[in-house]
């Protein structure tokens, strides 16, 4: 009687991690091809793949599922490209070799590795599976050591910041010939204190045509406000390289700085952040960098004072005052709570409720739709005018080519036509931009002023500054009183919004039959 040995049931395990750096490892498709080519005669009943790292144990659900099936007798063996696909740590390595010794794993095959079932072979297998952890840890340590040395020498690790480019051969960074000067201009605008981060981003994108560096699948797009905020907060632009392991430690950069450390500190003050050079130990002053002195136009700064009492207790006070960097008679200090109250009073003159925002947005959309029709008519005429000028230039060139006009006549007439063409093209672009700009500005203003007090209290300093800039320019503190030069177009809102809010609050108390009519009357008044 012939007894046929049942064929062993194998699972093919494919793994290439997306969580760590395994650059030299074959792709999972390539592993599948190698295994199929090498072990075409095996009874592979299942193909399973995974993209998790094997550097730490108990982190791979598919691998755990395979071990469970082996323990339950549903599988007999494993096929993989190399032992390090099964394990890169000692715990998982021992879980494999233990099951081999117990006979749970009846066979183990690799397309790129061989071992025999002897004590020495088992030891080599376990060492091969676990030694990858040593190489990974050593590589990580070597990379950290190299990066530390590079920072101490003033170099940058990773991608160069916007305005600079990486020199791959020399492993340094250098000025981006297209963007360095533009980024410097952006810093200059912000240092005036008259522009918000978002406003500068709009200027860069719409007026300068700024596009970020194109890198593989990212970049090549207009710069965002959040990206510009991070740039203004990046100490590397001041020619300093921070040590990530030692906060407050900086190395002198080996690449050209874009701004001075003093300018960087001023930018941080405007952003409401503590500068890297002034390593202050006091608390974060939430209103510093928002307001200027009404007499000398210097920034209003803050300081912390602690009053200690005889019973051993103490109380901390925060006071705001002019920096006094110029000749100034403003000596009056104002405490933070009082200043917040004054800001709240100021915002209350312009604050919108959500219903006013909804009404305003509906009105703006209606106005924009109407303007689109009017703009299309204007632009159609502009296109005709531009086309006519271009045709005249083409005819003039044709006549000059045929010798029908002399060079002097051609030069004079073509220059005049080109000047008219440039002017017409500029006007066309201005109309397109003006339509977009007024709508963007108006919607942004409505959003900022809706529940402005709540947003001001809860928001970051950049948000607080944006809310004040939506109202007007140059918040000033003079003789303890706060004032702001409000935008001209907000005067009607200031004159009516408080009474409108009060009237809207009364609507629920009115008889139901007249509530709708009252709401419509308030909407009409507000939209007007």
């Amino acid at each position: 009687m012939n007894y046929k040995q049942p064929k062993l049931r194998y699972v093919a395990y494919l793994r290439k991690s997306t969580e760590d750096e395994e650059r030299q490892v074959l792709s999972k498709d390539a592993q599948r091809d190698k295994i199929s080519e090498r072990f075409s005669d095996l009874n592979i009943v299942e193909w399973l793949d995974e993209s998790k790292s094997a550097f730490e144990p108990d982190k791979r659900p598919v691998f755990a599922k395979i071990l469970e099936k082996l323990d339950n007798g549903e599988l007999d063996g494993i096929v993989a490209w190399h032992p390090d696909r099964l394990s890169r740590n000692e715990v998982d390595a021992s879980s494999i070799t233990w099951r081999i010794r117990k006979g749970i794993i009846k066979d183990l095959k690799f397309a790129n590795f061989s071992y025999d079932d002897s004590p020495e072979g088992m030891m080599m297998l376990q060492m091969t599976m676990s030694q990858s952890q040593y190489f990974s840890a050593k590589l990580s340590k070597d990379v950290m050591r190299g990066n530390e040395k590079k920072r101490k020498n003033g170099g940058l690790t990773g991608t160069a910041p916007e305005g600079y480019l990486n020199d791959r051969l020399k492993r340094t960074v250098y000025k981006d010939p297209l963007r360095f000067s533009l980024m410097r201009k952006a810093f200059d605008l912000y240092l005036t204190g008259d522009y918000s981060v978002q406003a500068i981003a709009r200027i860069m994108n719409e007026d300068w045509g700024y596009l970020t560096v194109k890198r593989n699948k990212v970049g090549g797009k207009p710069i965002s406000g959040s990206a510009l905020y991070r740039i203004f907060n990046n100490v590397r632009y001041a020619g300093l390289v921070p040590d990530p392991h030692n906060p407050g430690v900086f190395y002198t950069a080996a690449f050209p700085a874009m701004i001075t450390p003093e300018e960087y500190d001023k930018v941080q003050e405007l952003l409401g952040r503590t500068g890297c050079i002034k390593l202050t130990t006091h608390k974060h002053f939430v209103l510093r960098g928002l307001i200027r002195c009404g007499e000398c136009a210097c920034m209003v700064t803050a300081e912390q004072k602690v009053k200690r009492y005889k019973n051993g207790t103490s109380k901390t006070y925060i006071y705001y005052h002019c920096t006094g960097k110029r000749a100034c008679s403003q000596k009056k200090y104002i405490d933070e709570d009082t200043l917040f109250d004054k800001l709240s009073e100021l915002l209350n003159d312009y604050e919108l409720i959500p219903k006013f925002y909804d009404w305003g947005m509906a009105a703006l959309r209606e106005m924009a739709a109407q303007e689109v029709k009017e703009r299309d008519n204007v632009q159609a005429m502009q296109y005709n005018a531009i086309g006519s000028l271009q045709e005249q230039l083409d005819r003039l060139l044709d006549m000059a080519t045929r010798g029908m006009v002399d060079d002097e006549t051609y030069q004079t007439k073509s220059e005049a036509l080109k000047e008219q063409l440039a002017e017409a093209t500029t006007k066309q672009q201005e109309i397109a931009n003006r339509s977009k700009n007024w709508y963007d500005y108006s919607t942004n203003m409505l959003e900022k002023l809706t529940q402005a007090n709540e947003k001001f209290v809860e928001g970051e300093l950049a948000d607080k500054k944006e809310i004040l800039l939506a109202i007007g320019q140059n918040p000033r503190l003079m003789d303890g009183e706060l004032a702001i030069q409000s935008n001209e177009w907000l005067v009607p809102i200031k004159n009516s919004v408080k009474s409108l809010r009060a009237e809207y609050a009364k609507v629920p108390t009115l008889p139901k039959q007249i509530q709708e009519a009252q709401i419509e009357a308030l909407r009409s008044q507000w939209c007007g």
Side-chain angles (χ1 to χ4, degrees):
M1 180 177 179
N2 292 328
Y3 178 79
K4 188 175 181 180
Q5 184 76 18
K7 296 186 73 172
L8 297 180
R9 298 159 299 173
Y10 291 88
V11 59
Y13 180 68
L14 316 173
R15 187 181 68 81
K16 182 175 175 66
S17 173
T18 59
E19 299 178 342
D20 55 18
E21 298 297 328
E22 295 182 341
R23 302 181 183 276
Q24 306 306 318
V25 175
L26 291 178
S27 69
K28 286 186 285 190
D29 287 341
Q31 292 176 43
R32 177 187 288 268
D33 293 341
K34 290 287 186 181
I35 291 171
S36 298
E37 178 183 340
R38 178 80 183 275
F39 302 112
S40 58
D41 58 334
L42 287 186
N43 178 31
I44 299 177
V45 297
E46 197 169 8
W47 292 80
L48 296 176
D49 66 83
E50 196 160 53
S51 300
K52 297 288 185 179
S53 170
F55 190 72
E56 294 183 6
D58 303 324
K59 299 291 186 181
R60 294 177 290 159
V62 175
F63 180 73
K65 179 182 177 183
I66 291 174
L67 294 183
E68 183 180 352
K69 286 191 172 187
L70 286 164
D71 293 339
N72 294 336
E74 298 173 35
L75 294 170
D76 303 307
I78 307 176
V79 184
W81 175 62
H82 188 273
D84 66 7
R85 297 304 83 207
L86 295 181
S87 171
R88 289 165 64 86
N89 68 79
E90 301 90 342
V91 176
D92 287 344
S94 62
S95 70
I96 295 289
T97 55
W98 180 83
R99 284 173 171 81
I100 294 174
R101 290 194 180 98
K102 298 291 288 183
I104 296 173
I105 297 178
K106 297 179 175 60
D107 194 17
L108 199 60
K109 294 189 181 295
F110 303 101
N112 195 31
F113 181 84
S114 298
Y115 82 102
D116 57 66
D117 191 10
S118 65
E120 293 78 14
M122 294 295 291
M123 183 180 71
M124 289 301 298
L125 173 63
Q126 188 165 17
M127 287 178 61
T128 302
M129 287 192 290
S130 59
Q131 72 179 355
S132 297
Q133 185 186 43
Y134 163 75
F135 288 125
S136 297
K138 183 177 184 300
L139 177 61
S140 176
K141 191 172 182 179
D142 290 344
V143 169
M144 289 178 63
R145 187 186 300 114
N147 286 341
E148 183 180 0
K149 182 178 180 181
K150 188 172 184 178
R151 284 190 292 267
K152 287 183 177 180
N153 291 332
L156 289 181
T157 58
T159 304
E162 195 72 13
Y164 296 86
L165 294 173
N166 290 97
D167 187 325
R168 300 295 180 186
L169 295 178
K170 297 180 180 178
R171 296 184 178 275
T172 58
V173 298
Y174 61 97
K175 292 181 181 180
D176 184 335
L178 295 177
R179 298 172 181 83
F180 186 91
S181 59
L182 292 178
M183 192 58 69
R184 171 67 225 202
K185 285 176 65 178
F187 272 102
D188 288 337
L189 286 178
Y190 196 68
L191 283 165
T192 65
D194 296 328
Y195 296 84
S196 68
V197 176
Q198 295 292 340
I200 296 174
R202 286 194 291 271
I203 290 172
M204 294 176 72
N205 295 329
E206 297 173 8
D207 296 351
W208 304 349
Y210 192 95
L211 294 176
T212 57
V213 178
K214 177 67 175 172
R215 293 186 176 97
N216 295 328
K217 296 181 180 180
V218 299
K221 298 178 181 179
I223 195 164
S224 66
S226 58
L228 189 59
Y229 184 91
R230 289 192 296 272
I231 286 171
F232 286 163
N233 185 44
N234 191 340
V235 72
R236 293 165 182 81
Y237 287 94
L240 296 172
V241 179
D243 186 335
H245 306 296
N246 297 293
V249 175
F250 303 92
Y251 307 109
T252 302
F255 54 89
M258 185 177 290
I259 59 175
T260 65
E262 291 76 14
E263 288 173 328
Y264 175 79
D265 273 332
K266 185 176 180 182
V267 168
Q268 303 319 296
E269 186 174 333
L270 293 170
L271 290 173
R273 302 179 66 92
T274 302
C276 68
I277 306 303
K278 300 174 183 177
L279 303 176
T280 53
T281 57
H282 54 64
K283 66 170 284 186
H284 179 59
F285 301 125
V286 295
L287 297 179
R288 191 173 65 176
L290 278 177
I291 306 165
R292 290 184 179 274
C293 173
E295 181 177 330
C296 68
C298 287
M299 293 302 298
V300 169
T301 188
E303 63 181 82
Q304 178 177 282
K305 292 188 177 182
V306 179
K307 185 173 183 179
R308 304 187 185 281
Y309 300 96
K310 293 181 179 179
N311 61 5
T313 62
S314 63
K315 188 173 182 179
T316 301
Y317 297 89
I318 296 174
Y319 294 97
Y320 289 79
H321 59 88
C322 174
T323 57
K325 291 184 178 179
R326 302 191 187 102
C328 180
S329 63
Q330 293 293 307
K331 304 297 183 183
K332 188 171 182 178
Y333 284 53
I334 181 170
D335 68 89
E336 189 171 70
D337 290 339
T338 303
L339 189 54
F340 258 114
D341 290 342
K342 291 184 179 297
L343 281 166
S344 181
E345 291 174 13
L346 176 67
L347 294 173
N348 194 47
D349 289 339
Y350 304 90
E351 184 170 39
L352 310 181
I353 59 176
K355 181 57 71 175
F356 291 0
Y357 172 79
D358 294 338
W359 290 346
M361 287 300 296
L364 288 174
R365 283 192 289 269
E366 187 177 333
M367 291 167 62
Q370 179 62 34
E371 183 171 287
V372 166
K373 296 178 183 178
E374 297 172 359
R375 189 185 69 226
D376 287 347
N377 293 334
V378 173
Q379 286 189 323
M381 290 188 291
Q382 287 179 326
Y383 278 125
N384 290 336
I386 290 172
S388 174
L389 289 168
Q390 190 62 57
E391 287 178 6
Q392 293 179 57
L393 266 173
D394 293 341
R395 285 199 300 271
L396 184 62
L397 178 61
D398 184 59
M399 293 171 67
T401 304
R402 297 183 182 184
M404 299 173 66
V405 295
D406 57 61
D407 291 344
E408 185 178 351
T409 302
Y410 170 75
Q411 189 70 22
T412 303
K413 290 189 175 182
S414 66
E415 285 181 1
L417 286 171
K418 287 177 181 177
E419 188 174 330
Q420 294 177 49
L421 183 62
E423 184 178 353
T425 304
T426 300
K427 285 183 178 179
Q428 177 197 36
Q429 188 62 45
E430 285 177 351
I431 288 179
N433 286 339
R434 189 160 56 242
S435 173
K436 179 178 182 296
N437 288 346
W438 80 257
Y439 183 79
D440 287 348
Y441 179 83
S442 300
T443 55
N444 182 62
M445 179 195 66
L446 285 180
E447 192 276 328
K448 291 288 190 297
L449 295 183
T450 302
Q451 296 180 310
N453 260 300
E454 180 182 336
K455 291 177 182 175
F456 190 89
V457 171
E458 296 180 356
E460 299 292 333
L461 189 122
D463 301 320
K464 300 180 197 292
K465 192 175 182 72
E466 290 287 339
I467 291 171
L468 288 180
L469 286 172
I471 295 174
Q473 300 293 323
N474 303 322
R476 304 265 171 164
L477 188 64
M478 182 79 170
D479 297 326
E481 295 300 321
L482 185 68
I484 191 169
Q485 182 184 344
S486 63
N487 295 319
E488 185 179 335
W489 49 88
L490 286 180
V491 173
I493 290 180
K494 181 181 180 182
N495 293 338
S496 61
V497 74
K498 281 201 221 177
S499 60
L500 285 173
R501 287 201 312 258
E503 291 298 318
Y504 187 83
K506 294 178 184 177
V507 169
T509 65
L510 299 175
K512 290 191 179 295
Q513 59 268 29
I514 65 171
Q515 284 184 10
E516 189 173 337
Q518 178 66 3
I519 288 175
E520 180 57 31
L522 291 172
R523 188 196 69 81
S524 178
Q525 186 179 350
W526 164 247
C527 291

